Amino acid sequence: MPLPGPAYWVIGVFVGVLLSESSTFFRTPPTPQIQSPARAAKLTPVARAAAPASGHGLGAAPEGGAATLMRWWGLTSSETARCSAKGRRRRNVVVAFSSFKRSTGNATMLMLASFKKASSGRGIGGAVSKGGQPHDPSFEMVILSNRDPDHERFVALEEVIKDFPGASAHSIKDMMAQVNEDTPWAQSRHFLNMRPLYMLRWLQENPLNLCPDDGVGVADEDLVYQGDPFDIFDAVPNHALYVFGERTNFTNGMELGKVYIDMATGSNKTREHVKAGQTYCFGFALGEAWAVRELHARVAVGIFVRGFEATDVERHAMDQGMLNVLIHTGGLDDLGLRKVLNEEPWVTHLTSQLSGKKTIPFSELLDTRRIVHQYKWANSVKEHYLNQYGYVV
């Protein structure tokens, strides 16, 4: 097995310490030394032995690497049989956080309305979506809320979500409180700094009983779904984790990006290296569940190691900075990483394309991209969705 790069060794040391049995936050051992059994970009001999010939799921995988992954994922024998069954349809789920505030509720409603259209096969690429019927959506949506289950806004969210097949709301207030209690050293309570920790714990507890090779998308709330983003598994195969770039050549040294990188690392050499690289946005990432969980574990470790700087913590979050440090130092390569550019027809982030800096007309993006992120900052795009869905954001 090739030796990992220096950056990975550094991360690995901290992962080994923080993921030890003495840790109260991390509840599972570190990733076994295998790649994705379905889609690693550069498979080791162990991973090649574990990979099914079909390239879809674990159904055809022999004993070995796949079995190790099953045990690491924490499956019982019956759950292992379910996840290993030949012909099992991959379950794909996007996960977003929303408190469904009165002031921002329309963003949630627009997200849900667009999800309903995209998951029923009526969006971009609908012909190749799996399922794609109103009663059988091609992917699911889970909305995680910091509200009590009996809070009026959570009750309201549960009521409206009944009109969107495949969508569900989950109160994680108690889980979030437990994460906060388990991480007293995390001085920041900026939500975007804590979100990777909450998402990691949710994936560890796995309330949906996901299989390790099921698809998981982690999403901001200000997204419009124009098609099924999980089609990328078939269109761009042999990968387990996908991250999506801002406008091409928009680097981490531009605008707020440089602040995020300075928050994420104290090494001037690392800062210089990462700031020269393409920016990848943490507003949406997608992959197999095991890889998405490991991504969040590594971001969490990086945040713990770096710590929070009080001067910046109230205004800025370091999650995106940490993501880009990991990407550009090779810290995610062993997860079967695929870096997806803005020119590819999957996800577009709009803020880096405002003020006359866009290289692709918005009209083209609206016609071709599965997901449009940060639409609320572009008046023409907001108007487009207002006309289409009727929600003022």
Side-chain angles (χ1 to χ4, degrees):
M1 182 176 185
L3 291 175
Y8 185 78
W9 277 114
V10 173
I11 293 170
V13 170
F14 289 113
V15 169
V17 172
L18 288 173
L19 299 183
S20 67
E21 293 182 1
S22 61
S23 171
T24 59
F25 181 72
F26 293 96
R27 296 181 173 178
T28 56
T31 310
Q33 292 301 306
I34 62 173
Q35 314 296 323
S36 165
R39 298 193 160 78
K42 298 179 180 178
L43 294 178
T44 64
V46 172
R48 280 197 295 273
S54 66
H56 295 278
L58 302 174
E63 290 294 317
T68 302
L69 183 65
M70 293 288 193
R71 289 193 298 271
W72 173 77
W73 191 249
L75 297 180
T76 64
S77 57
S78 60
E79 290 170 336
T80 297
R82 173 178 62 87
C83 291
S84 302
K86 287 188 176 182
R88 179 183 66 86
R89 174 177 159 184
R90 177 197 297 279
R91 186 178 182 184
N92 294 320
V93 183
V94 292
V95 184
F97 289 79
S98 173
S99 56
F100 202 49
K101 295 179 181 178
R102 296 184 189 280
S103 60
T104 60
N106 275 359
T108 307
M109 295 304 299
L110 176 54
M111 178 177 68
L112 283 165
S114 66
F115 155 75
K116 184 176 183 179
K117 179 178 179 180
S119 64
S120 64
R122 293 179 291 128
I124 295 169
V128 299
S129 297
K130 310 300 185 297
Q133 301 297 323
H135 64 281
D136 183 23
S138 63
F139 66 103
E140 302 169 53
M141 173 174 287
V142 169
I143 297 179
L144 303 180
S145 172
N146 64 341
R147 306 285 195 185
D148 280 319
D150 57 353
H151 190 284
E152 63 170 330
R153 296 308 296 164
F154 186 77
V155 172
L157 177 59
E158 284 191 307
E159 187 61 31
V160 301
I161 215 167
K162 294 176 182 177
D163 293 330
F164 302 96
S168 58
H170 302 252
S171 170
I172 59 167
K173 183 177 180 179
D174 290 344
M175 188 203 77
M176 292 170 68
Q178 187 61 54
V179 169
N180 294 343
E181 182 179 334
D182 289 346
T183 57
W185 58 85
Q187 300 173 24
S188 170
R189 291 299 177 227
H190 191 303
F191 174 72
L192 292 181
N193 283 338
M194 300 304 294
R195 183 172 65 173
L197 315 189
Y198 301 143
M199 191 66 215
L200 173 60
R201 178 63 61 83
W202 187 82
L203 287 166
Q204 289 171 333
E205 295 184 354
N206 194 16
L208 299 186
N209 293 318
L210 297 172
C211 295
D213 66 330
D214 283 336
V216 173
V218 182
D220 278 356
E221 188 179 16
D222 59 335
L223 285 100
V224 170
Y225 294 86
Q226 301 198 137
D228 187 340
F230 295 97
D231 287 342
I232 198 170
F233 280 134
D234 292 323
V236 189
N238 302 318
H239 298 279
L241 182 64
Y242 300 81
V243 294
F244 302 89
E246 296 272 5
R247 169 174 56 89
T248 299
N249 296 322
F250 185 86
T251 69
N252 289 299
M254 295 179 176
E255 299 180 11
L256 281 177
K258 56 182 177 290
V259 177
Y260 301 151
I261 301 306
D262 286 347
M263 291 181 68
T265 176
S267 165
N268 288 330
K269 286 290 187 181
T270 303
R271 287 173 173 174
E272 180 181 357
H273 169 72
V274 177
K275 286 179 182 179
Q278 172 69 41
T279 299
Y280 294 89
C281 182
F282 215 169
F284 187 80
L286 179 152
E288 295 183 354
W290 75 271
V292 174
R293 188 174 90 176
E294 183 64 10
L295 163 67
H296 284 79
R298 296 183 188 186
V299 170
V301 169
I303 289 175
F304 293 157
V305 171
R306 174 61 173 154
F308 300 106
E309 298 184 16
T311 54
D312 288 329
V313 80
E314 295 307 319
R315 290 187 58 244
H316 303 304
M318 66 192 301
D319 62 327
Q320 182 161 304
M322 196 60 66
L323 171 69
N324 278 274
V325 168
L326 289 169
I327 290 171
H328 291 291
T329 58
L332 302 177
D333 287 355
D334 64 318
L335 303 185
L337 179 67
R338 172 60 150 82
K339 293 175 283 190
V340 183
L341 295 178
N342 188 45
E343 285 75 16
E344 299 179 75
W346 299 104
V347 179
T348 187
H349 310 284
L350 296 187
T351 54
S352 60
Q353 303 178 72
L354 299 175
S355 304
K357 298 177 182 178
K358 58 180 179 288
T359 55
I360 301 174
F362 284 167
S363 58
E364 179 180 337
L365 296 176
L366 296 176
D367 286 341
T368 58
R369 301 306 190 259
R370 298 298 205 281
I371 289 178
V372 175
H373 179 218
Q374 300 164 329
Y375 63 85
K376 63 186 179 183
W377 304 110
N379 290 333
S380 62
V381 179
K382 284 200 299 182
E383 184 176 355
H384 170 82
Y385 289 131
L386 171 62
N387 293 333
Q388 186 172 356
Y389 292 103
Y391 293 107
V392 178
V393 178

